[in-house]
Amino acid sequence: MDDARGSHLSVLIDLSPTQWHNSAQGPPRNTYPLPLNSFLSQLLAFLNSHIASKHENTLAVFGAFPGKSVMLYSTIDPTNHDQAIDANSYPPFRLVDSTIVTRITEELEALGEPEEEAPSSLVSALIKALCYVNRVTLPSVSTTNNPADGHDPAILPDPRILVLSVSPDLSTSYIPIMNAIFSAQKLKVTIDVCQIYGPDTIFLQQAAHLTGGSYIFLERRDALLQYLIMSFLSPPSIRKILSVPTQDKVDFRAACFCHKNIVDIGFVCSVCLSIFCQPVPVCSTCRTKFPMKTLQRLNASRPLLSSSTSNASRTSPSTPQARTPTALGADTGASTTNGARSSTAPLGGLPHSGSIGNGTPRAANINGSRPGPEAR
Amino acid sequence: MPPRRDNDKFIQADSDSDISVDDEDFSKSHKGKGKADVRRKRDVKGKGKAKDTQSYTWEASYTRSWETVQEDEAGSLQSSVDDWMARGRRRRLLEPSTAIRRTIIRHLILLLDLSTSMMDRDMRPTRFDLMLQVVREFVAEWFDQNPLGQIGVVGMRAGIGERIGEMSGNPQEVLKCIADRHKLEPTGEPSLQNSIEMARSSMSHLPTHSSREIIIIFGSLTTCDPGNIHETLDACVKAKIRISVVALAAEMKICRDLCDKTGGQFGVALNEGHFRDLLFELIPPPAQQAVSRGASRATNPSADLMMMGFPTRLPDTSPPSLCVCHSEVKSEGFLCPRCLAKVCDVPTDCDICGLMIVSSPHLARSYHHLFPVRAYDAVLSADEAASNSCHGCFRPFPPPPTGTTTTSEGLSPLGRYRCPDCKNDFCSECDVFVHDVIHCCPGCGQ
């Protein structure tokens, strides 16, 4: 609980028109429809309460549009909007609200009607938010060149980033997201994620987990404001006391480099650590040739693995939720039955040779313990 | 780690040689002139040195780093800072873009001597304070070069081994456990055997792919052991644990034996700088270890394709179940993706199916080496200017400077740097931040 210092909040809004259109659909599709305008009014109430909770609090809002990301509002760069004096509203709130709404309208109109919508550039917005945090936390030389900047560089706001995502995972963005996560760790930035619409995103789950933030999958989407205020309003320093809802389950799967599939069992080059979804003779990243023996060994166990990886990639959006009950249920059973089996498997030997040895029992095991996604 | 010039080391040696006095006068008379002067002066100095002191080559390596920083006409250091940044940019351009070979997973236990002998003041300020300071730098650098590695910390004091930090892959956690000086206050005698045993037991669960290493920083000349330390040594050899010792006092037979038999390095620090160098030599992954280990299973020992599983982490709130590694009832844990067995910690080998389980962030930590961001080009002329704020942090660009400013190569007079791929302009802070920290261009990022 840092007394005199405010906290900095960067909010990333995923503004993919298709996803928001889907989100606004009525009951047959969604139990709780949430159109963009009602989302925005709830978000603005949240942003206002962030500004109101402490005078020193700073705010930056980024929008991720298809193929483009922009900064919508920032406390540091004041936009000189002509403000009509309104006796019924508090000027700072009004400034935030009007700036954000105007900018979003401008950007959405500028989008036009493309035939195919580019995926939302959430990663680019995330990287820009990190650049921005780097700028506000770093007492830089250039702030002296900027007289409009009333910000005192000595104050280091407690920075955090809130990602409001509506899009599913984009496997091409795996490496940039990972890079962003590690730089957030270096900058000590907390990344909070609220998945408002669409399936769980495993990359953002990892982002929240690795930076100590919370990931919330919105179930009652009509209660967005309550979720936001309960979980994301408090700065990280006092969250321990408030016991903010933390992550349910983190999926540590990765995207392979060859087909951008999301895999749970991958083949990894020992030189450059590239991940492949199937055994390859030559690493596509570092051009290393792998020994034939390894390839033959891995290919021997391949049929079962390819089925399991394609299985995972096909059901990837729903897998995290779908697997929860089965995984937990199967866990104790699997460990006990396998405990007996492992005595026959070579113990303490090389793991690869061991893995050939018990190839068949494993196949039975996977088929036996994974009916979850299929049954669904 | 670039080779370090150790100034402190040579100051005393140099101050009583008459050459250095001449030199000082020489440089004083030229102080405060332009940059060109500095460069010329350095040349002259170098030549003079080579002529005068051919017999003392060690003196020639000594440069006064503070003299390379020059004030400009206005008395500000800005130009020097800019120059320094430009040099950094150029160095980046020269870096090869090939992939770097790394050992897959390293596990290291740091054994810190916390006995009373560490309070000796033969190294400044004390051996203990110096050790903490150098170890902090070491940890940061080590994690930078070994992204998949993990470090645990064990202290030797009052005759026992004391676990100071659990094995962790997060540099912040490791640094936190050695941050508090008062918790590590040295007392009593050290015990090599107790602490090596503790380190060995905490590495017993590790997967066979990983290297197991112990680095001992030893300031004492005695060890106070409950049993025969040679048995511990044999156990370490059997477990393929590599022990390296950096001694602060003098060579001990047992320390030398520990290193020789396990394939580690042994060194006695002569002074503060040498201590640092000895420790930092241990940062790069051990080469011969990888060869000897890989040779048994593959024809090409340095490259192999490995099957790895990426687990799912269960939260603290999940229903408790038994883990396969300790058979304890626990809520949290990781699920093996192949057999769905629950293990307590990653990276590890699954006890049931033998699959190597790593969390994908561990792998991803080194990807920026594979896909580096292309160096940004400095924007030189004002008419190219497109946007009026930085594309990364939205900082407004300063107005174009009036009059001619002398700029060095690789530095933009407008403070703009353009990505060759997405053609967006960035400020110099973002340029440095993108290339050094994020490794991902905000404009090109999808």
Side-chain angles (χ1 to χ4, degrees), chain B residues 273-289:
Chain B
H274 189 229
F275 170 49
R276 229 185 88 118
D277 291 345
L278 279 179
L279 200 57
F280 275 56
E281 271 173 26
L282 300 170
I283 290 178
Q288 81 275 17
Q289 184 86 354

Side-chain angles (χ1 to χ4, degrees), chain A residues 62 70-71 77 121 123-124 127-128 130-132 134-135 138 140-143 146 173-176 178-179 182-183 185-188 206 209-210 247-254 257 263-276 279-280 285-286 288-291 293-295 297-298 301 305 323 327-328 330-332 334-335 338-339 342 349-352 355 358 362 365-366 369-370, chain B residues 78 99-104 144 147-148 170 172 208-209 296-324 334-342 349 351-356 358-368 370-371 391-396 398-399 428-430 433-434 436-443 445-446:
Chain A
F62 297 83
V70 289
M71 174 184 264
D77 303 317
S121 56
V123 183
S124 153
I127 296 170
K128 282 179 187 173
L130 284 170
C131 283
Y132 183 82
N134 180 48
R135 168 185 164 195
L138 212 80
S140 70
V141 261
S142 306
T143 42
N146 183 5
S173 64
Y174 177 63
I175 293 167
M178 280 302 169
N179 285 337
F182 297 130
S183 29
Q185 279 182 330
K186 261 186 205 164
L187 288 175
K188 299 194 176 65
Q206 295 182 14
H209 173 68
L210 291 171
Q247 211 132 359
D248 187 27
K249 195 175 148 104
V250 189
D251 201 334
F252 276 118
R253 287 184 301 168
F257 287 21
V263 295
D264 52 6
I265 296 180
F267 298 91
V268 178
C269 166
S270 72
V271 176
C272 63
L273 301 178
S274 308
I275 305 170
F276 303 100
V280 287
T285 312
C286 64
T288 308
K289 288 196 179 74
F290 300 120
K293 228 168 83 185
T294 315
L295 276 178
R297 175 162 46 76
L298 292 176
S301 56
L305 278 163
R323 253 169 54 183
L328 288 175
D331 178 27
T332 41
S335 57
N338 285 329
S342 69
L350 291 171
H352 285 328
S355 63
N358 54 6
R362 199 193 319 130
N365 186 18
I366 285 185
S369 60
R370 245 206 222 162
Chain B
Q78 187 61 44
I100 302 165
R101 291 208 168 198
R102 281 163 193 278
T103 307
I104 306 306
D144 223 40
L148 266 176
N170 183 350
Q172 301 303 333
T208 43
H209 290 80
S296 59
R297 58 178 171 154
T299 45
N300 184 359
S302 55
D304 204 350
L305 199 59
M306 297 172 299
M307 190 150 56
M308 287 190 186
F310 306 111
T312 304
R313 182 180 166 273
L314 293 177
D316 302 346
T317 50
S318 64
S321 58
L322 291 171
C323 70
V324 295
F334 295 85
L335 288 184
C336 166
R338 189 152 73 180
C339 62
L340 295 181
K342 186 163 94 171
D349 283 355
D351 286 339
I352 303 300
C353 66
L355 180 71
M356 185 177 180
V358 293
S359 79
S360 51
H362 279 137
L363 294 183
R365 205 175 273 274
S366 65
Y367 286 160
H368 62 82
L370 307 179
F371 308 102
H391 192 70
C393 67
F394 300 95
R395 190 203 308 273
S428 61
E429 272 86 6
C430 281
F433 183 65
V434 162
D436 290 356
V437 181
I438 295 196
H439 305 290
C440 207
C441 174
Q446 287 303 303

